Each structure stands twice: as C-alpha cells, then as structure tokens.
RNA sequence: GGCCCGUUGGUCUAGCGGUGAGGACGCCGCCCUCUCAAGGCGGAAAUCACGGGUUCGAAUCCCGUACGGGCUACCA
C-alpha cells in the first residue's frame, strides 16, 4: 500500500452516524482505495459535554456494517495513534509550546462574556465581527507576569500582519479566496487548556500526515483559519475537497424532522448496506452519464473527487428504496433467507431453532418475497399468514371476493381438488386449481382470489400456488374450509 | 450585517462553445399476469434561476440580480 495518499474521516461522537457523515466516510474511503492510499478513522471527541462512548461504538458499528474499513484508527490502531483526540493532549500541548516559541500565538485575558458583547456591538455598527485584538498588544513580559500571577488565559493565533489573502484550490469547488482582513486572531487553546477544533484537527492532520481533507462544506469557512495554523506550525496544508450538504426535501439541512437520519435506523428498517453505500455514493458523485447501480468494487476502483458535484443534494428516500429493492432482488435465496430471518424472529414468527430446521422452506419463501419487498421489514406482514395457526379475513376482502356469487362453490371445489393431491407442490396445486373454473363454470380469477383470501386473509399475497405449497396441505384445506363455512350457503 | 458557496425536468444527475439537452427515481399508459410486485414497451415532465455581455454560435466563458445554503464561538 502506497503511503502517498492519506485521508481521514473524523466524526465527532455527539450522535450516531448521520447519513451525511456516512457519505463523507464513503468518499474518503473510496478515494483512498482508488488511489492505493490509507484511510484513517479518527474520533474527534474534544467536546466532553456531548461526546459519549456509546456514540463512538455506534459510529464504529455503523461503519463496519456499511463495509467501510479503515486502515488506521480505533481497534486496529496504527503508527500515528492514538486516534481519539482526548488521548492526544500532549500533541496539542506540544504544538502550543512550539507556537509560543515562534511567537505564533499570544495569551488573551479577555472575558468571554465581555467579548460577546463587544462582538455584538461591532456587528451592529456594521464592522467586522472578529476579535478586536485587545490582548495582542500586551507586552510579552507583562503577559508573562499575568500568567505567572495565575490569571486565566486563552491562546489566540497571531495572524501575520502581512499575510495577504488566503487562496487555496479546493478539488471540488475550484479556487477559493478569503480576504485576509476578515481573519481574526481566533482562539486556539481555551482557558481550560483544551484545544479548539480548528487547532486540534490541524495538529492531528499534520501528525497523521493527512494529504487530502475531504469533508462537508460546512467547514469551508474554517479552511482559511486552518491554513493559517498549518503555516504557523510550519507545515504544508493538505489538499481540500469540500462536499456539499445533504438536504431534506424542504431544502434545509437534513435532520431528524425529515425522518430517519442515522445509518442505524436504515439498518433496522431493512436496508442493505450495499444499497445504502451505492445510494449515498451517487448523492453528489457520478460514475458516468447512465450508471446508477454501482457495487463497492466499481466504486472503489473508479471514484474521483473531480466528479463530485458542487451543489447540495436532496435526500430522496424513494430512490433509496428502489435501489434497495434492486439489491434485495439480486440476493441468492440462501442469502436472502439469512438477512430476512432476523426480521421474522423479531416479529415472533419463528425461533432460530425452528429456522435451522426449515432452511429449504425459508429459501423458497425468500424467492417468493424477494421481488416484492423494497425493505426487509416489509416481508413480515407479507408472510405472516404462513406462520400463524389461523388467519383473520379482512372485511373488505370478504366483501369483495368471498361474498361474490360462485365463491362458495369455488371454495368447495378447491377443497376437493387440493384434497385429492398426492404430491402437494406448486405445479400440482396449480393444475388442480386450474381445473376448477371449467368444472363449475366460474372465472379462474374468482377461484384464485377466493382461495387467496381464504388462506391469507387478504386480496394481496405472494404467488398463490407457491404459498399454498409452503402452507402445507393440512393448513391449506383447513383455512379454505373455514372460509367456506364463514360464507354460509 | 459581513465573508464564502451553490443554482440543468418534482428529485439525483450527464454535459465541460455547435447535442433532437442523455440516464435514473417518481408519475401516467400499454403489455405480461392468479393478486401484489418484478419485468418489457411507450409517454408526460427542463424557456438549463433571471438579466446583461463575449462569440458566427452559450446550459457550457465573464459580470450583475434573485433565491437557497454555510460560516461568522474559548461547538465540531
């Protein structure tokens, strides 16, 4: 593996893995794979208030479920660890010391509340809202005395006087220019000694030898600040690639009120990881002008930042569903049975033990359901009738089918025809039932629908003959008789 | 307010000076069919945000405007 390219995904464990974060991770991962680079996972847990271990675990398990594997990071370790920012305080302290030595920072004794007020005032009068540099002019010896006296201080980056505009080329958006005059001396280390985001990420990116920073464009405005830190630390800035946001249907940042936003939820609802990866990859990137079904292999061997789109994308749940259906249909029966089983078990339809004894039966069931479900959780209502002892017939189905003229006779004949079968299999069942309409002078559809309603309780079900076979002769006859009885004469 | 960024059918996108503006989801119709799906075929749907330029020629290049978004913290 070449080490020329190193990228990282650095989630902050303040929640589960978000759809947008997942896409960022996918792009980083695909980019690393495509270029023979290294993909680093780093946990940016510097916010003690909101970061939790549960969230770290959830993020890790979501990434794994998606099939996104990191080369360095939690669990697997690596040569540039640790990979949790809370364990890297010595790095930040070292970087601060270096900046103090090089006169790249200065202590700030301003009161935060006071600062906020000044900022408000500056903004109100139409001025620049940045820090007014009050403490920048304090004489170093005075500053040292105040620190020694125990006065609390934060550290601010001393933006060079003659730095000029900050210009960088973003791989997806092109050349970006930020006017130097708007760069204020931002805080790099807080009063409590902890590093701010813009400082910690840069220190880490330098130490971890990150060459390409691929992240959401909510960080675009942070980039010039970070470039200043890279420069102050005497390091070359990496290449940046800012991804546009993912929006909800209303054009606002995708959030809980738009529905499911965490990868975990999609997993629970029966989406396949490969479908989610495919969909997310396409939300802002395209292989060419016509391909929409792209497996991981194709993605990791063709991904390029140059083909990442600049505009924000609205998350289209329906297209994801469609794509999930495509992947679901492509599963082999045994694989389908495997992924479907947890849903069946959760619904209490069968136990793991029973499943082990009904492998073939489950695979047959899988083939029936495969081209009908877009999500795995949809199979439960679809197949429930095949597991339960008896079935309750839906009122509208009864009215629409069973109470139709000829239905009773059709059920009687069906019982006779099926009852006579030696071999109870889809083919034999089909020919038996197909002989009924002609014999009693009724439309084939009426027979099929009547039997369907009788065994499933509904006018909609998986294919009839196969369903009857899976149900078994005994229960089939039982249900048809029960339905027949309920219709009366 | 200031600074940035974006704008091709309802949605995701292709396009990178000359195309009938292509594909996909969704929608509609037809076919297939035991229901539902799946599949096949066809269709509607884009004045390429708007207004100016540049050019023989602009969705493509330039400048404005509008709309949307992001940042503007001792959050990340």
């Amino acid at each position: 593996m070449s080490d020329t390219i190193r990228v990282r995904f650095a989630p902050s464990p303040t929640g589960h893995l978000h759809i947008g974060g997942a896409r960022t991770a996918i792009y980083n991962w695909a980019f690393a794979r495509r270029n023979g680079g290294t993909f680093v996972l780093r946990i940016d847990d510097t916010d003690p208030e909101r970061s939790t271990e549960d969230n770290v675990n959830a993020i890790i398990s979501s990434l794994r479920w998606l099939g996104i594997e990191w080369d360095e990071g939690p669990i697997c370790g690596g040569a540039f660890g640790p990979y949790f920012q809370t364990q890297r305080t010595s790095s930040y302290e070292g970087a601060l010391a270096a900046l103090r030595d090089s006169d790249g920072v200065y202590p700030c004794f301003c009161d935060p509340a006071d600062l906020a007020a000044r900022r408000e005032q500056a903004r109100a009068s139409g001025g620049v809202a940045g820090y007014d540099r009050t403490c920048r002019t304090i004489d170093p010896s005075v500053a040292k005395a105040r620190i020694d006296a125990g006065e609390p201080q934060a550290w601010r980056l001393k933006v060079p006087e003659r730095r000029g505009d900050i210009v960088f080329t973003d791989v997806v958006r092109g050349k970006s220019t930020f006017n130097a005059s708007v760069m204020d001396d931002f805080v790099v280390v807080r009063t409590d000694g902890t590093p701010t985001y813009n400082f910690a990420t840069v220190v880490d990116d330098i130490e971890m030898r990150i060459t390409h920073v691929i992240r959401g464009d909510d960080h675009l405005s942070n980039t010039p600040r970070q470039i200043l830190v890279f420069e102050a630390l005497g390091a070359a800035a990496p290449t940046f690639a800012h991804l546009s946001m993912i929006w909800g249907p209303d054009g606002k940042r995708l959030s809980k009120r738009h529905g499911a936003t965490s990868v975990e939820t999609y997993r629970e609802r029966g989406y396949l990881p490969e479908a989610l990866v495919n969909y997310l990859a396409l939300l802002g990137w395209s292989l060419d002008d016509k391909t929409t079904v792209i497996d991981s292999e194709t993605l990791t061997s063709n991904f390029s930042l140059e083909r990442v789109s600049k505009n924000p994308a609205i998350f289209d749940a329906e297209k994801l569903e469609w794509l999930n259906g495509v992947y679901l249909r492509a599963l082999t029966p045994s694989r389908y049975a495997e992924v479907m089983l947890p849903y069946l078990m959760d619904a209490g339809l069968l136990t793991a033990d029973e499943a082990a004894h009904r492998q073939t039966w489950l695979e047959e069931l899988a083939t029936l359901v495969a081209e009908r479900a877009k999500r795995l959780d949809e199979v439960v209502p679809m197949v429930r009738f095949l597991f339960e002892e008896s079935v309750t017939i839906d009122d509208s189905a009864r009215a629409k089918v069973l109470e139709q003229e000829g239905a009773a006779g059709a059920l009687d004949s069906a019982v006779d025809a099926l009852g006579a079968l030696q071999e109870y299999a889809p083919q034999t069942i089909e020919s038996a039932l197909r002989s009924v309409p002609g014999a009693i002078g009724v439309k084939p559809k009426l027979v099929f629908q009547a039997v369907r309603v009788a065994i499933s309780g509904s006018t909609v079900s998986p294919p009839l003959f196969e369903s009857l076979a899976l149900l078994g002769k005994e229960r089939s006859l039982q249900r048809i008789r029960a339905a027949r009885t309920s219709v009366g004469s």
Side-chain angles (χ1 to χ4, degrees):
Chain A
M1 182 179 299
S2 148
D3 253 338
T4 49
I5 284 182
R6 292 176 59 86
V7 295
R8 50 43 167 206
F9 173 56
S12 160
T14 53
H16 289 185
L17 185 61
H18 185 272
I19 284 297
R23 187 190 57 170
T24 302
I26 290 167
Y27 284 15
N28 272 284
W29 167 73
F31 181 72
R33 291 290 171 271
R34 166 70 181 82
N35 297 288
T38 301
F39 176 47
V40 177
L41 174 63
R42 183 177 75 220
I43 306 296
D44 283 9
D45 54 355
T46 49
D47 182 347
E49 296 294 309
R50 300 187 296 152
S51 299
T52 69
E53 202 184 325
D54 279 353
N55 287 333
V56 172
N57 293 332
I59 289 170
I60 285 177
S61 94
S62 287
L63 286 172
R64 285 186 153 172
W65 176 71
L66 286 172
I68 298 171
E69 291 162 343
W70 51 99
D71 307 303
E72 289 177 24
I75 300 169
C76 65
F80 302 91
Y83 295 92
F84 287 82
Q85 288 192 323
T86 45
Q87 293 168 21
R88 303 181 59 80
T89 50
S90 63
S91 291
Y92 311 133
E93 285 165 7
L96 176 63
L99 288 179
R100 288 177 64 173
D101 287 347
S102 64
D103 196 32
V105 289
Y106 60 89
C108 175
F109 305 97
C110 295
D111 176 59
D114 206 50
L115 238 33
R118 275 191 262 164
R119 195 160 45 227
E120 271 318 303
Q121 203 178 358
R123 186 180 298 191
S125 61
V128 177
Y131 179 60
D132 58 15
R133 300 189 168 176
T134 306
C135 294
R136 180 157 169 158
T137 53
I138 294 174
D139 186 84
S141 59
V142 174
K144 184 173 185 309
R146 290 173 72 172
I147 293 171
D148 291 343
E151 194 173 339
Q153 90 286 154
W155 292 88
R156 313 193 83 111
L157 189 78
K158 188 182 273 184
V159 176
E161 296 289 359
R162 300 185 307 280
R163 173 56 180 76
D165 292 350
I166 297 164
V167 182
F168 64 94
T169 301
D170 185 289
V171 189
V172 344
R173 338 193 72 104
K175 189 172 153 189
S176 292
T177 303
F178 287 80
N179 195 295
S181 66
V182 303
M183 297 309 305
D184 67 341
D185 292 347
F186 57 96
V187 171
V188 119
V189 172
R190 301 181 190 107
T191 309
D192 66 1
T194 59
T196 58
Y197 164 76
N198 282 320
F199 186 56
T201 33
V202 171
V203 170
D204 289 343
D205 286 343
I206 291 172
E207 291 192 359
M208 295 180 179
R209 318 270 167 90
I210 299 304
T211 58
H212 298 252
V213 171
I214 304 167
R215 70 208 331 182
D217 79 0
D218 45 339
H219 289 297
L220 190 59
S221 308
N222 282 323
T223 306
R225 264 179 269 281
Q226 295 182 192
I227 285 176
L228 254 16
V229 178
F230 276 105
E231 289 174 357
L233 254 12
T239 299
F240 293 95
H242 287 94
L243 276 22
S244 58
M245 305 272 85
I246 294 178
W247 284 351
D250 58 355
K252 296 272 169 25
R253 205 185 178 125
L254 188 67
S255 68
K256 293 106 270 168
R257 67 199 166 80
H258 297 299
T261 54
S262 82
V263 169
E264 202 162 274
T265 308
Y266 285 89
R267 176 185 191 168
E268 285 162 5
R269 294 193 182 167
Y271 287 87
L272 257 20
E274 47 271 46
L276 195 52
V277 168
N278 187 157
Y279 178 72
L280 257 17
L282 248 28
L283 215 51
W285 175 81
S286 60
L287 176 65
D288 54 30
D289 60 339
K290 56 194 58 167
T291 313
T292 53
V293 179
I294 301 171
D295 58 44
S296 290
E297 175 55 35
T298 308
L299 175 64
T300 52
S301 53
N302 290 283
F303 183 81
S304 75
L305 292 171
E306 285 69 27
R307 289 192 67 84
V308 170
S309 145
K310 290 190 243 301
N311 34 358
I314 291 174
F315 187 82
D316 183 357
E318 285 192 287
K319 190 158 183 177
L320 203 212
E321 284 219 340
W322 167 79
L323 200 50
N324 198 52
V326 170
Y327 279 88
L328 243 18
R329 269 171 255 133
L331 257 28
T332 61
S334 79
R335 176 68 184 144
Y336 201 109
E338 191 182 331
V339 296
M340 157 181 88
L341 186 57
Y343 293 83
L344 266 28
M345 285 167 53
D346 277 358
L349 300 186
L350 84 172
T351 64
D353 201 45
E354 288 164 342
H357 295 292
R358 302 173 74 181
Q359 192 54 35
T360 313
W361 187 88
L362 281 171
E363 287 179 21
E364 281 165 16
L365 177 61
T367 60
L368 292 197
V369 124
E371 63 189 29
R372 265 157 268 270
K374 288 182 175 167
R375 282 180 279 114
L376 256 9
D377 63 355
E378 290 177 339
V379 320
V380 170
M382 236 173 248
V383 306
R384 170 164 254 127
F385 76 99
L386 292 170
F387 291 87
E388 296 183 328
E389 273 314 306
S390 62
V391 90
T392 308
I393 294 171
D394 180 75
D395 284 342
S396 68
R398 175 187 301 284
K400 203 169 148 195
V401 178
L402 298 187
E403 286 169 6
Q404 230 181 90
E405 198 183 324
L411 290 176
D412 283 332
S413 302
V415 168
D416 292 342
L418 294 176
L421 289 176
Q422 291 301 312
E423 190 203 349
Y424 201 69
Q427 300 76 13
T428 55
I429 290 168
E430 176 165 6
S431 57
L433 285 184
R434 283 199 189 281
S435 71
V436 171
I440 64 171
V442 107
K443 290 220 164 120
K445 213 162 202 164
L446 176 61
V447 177
F448 299 140
Q449 280 302 76
V451 173
R452 184 191 312 284
V453 169
I455 65 161
S456 74
S458 158
T459 54
V460 176
S461 83
L464 187 58
F465 314 125
E466 288 80 357
S467 293
L468 282 160
L470 288 176
L471 231 203
K473 188 171 172 182
E474 285 311 307
R475 275 202 284 181
S476 298
L477 293 176
Q478 199 176 29
R479 287 188 193 179
I480 299 171
R481 285 199 190 99
R484 171 65 184 90
T485 311
S486 74
V487 175
S489 57

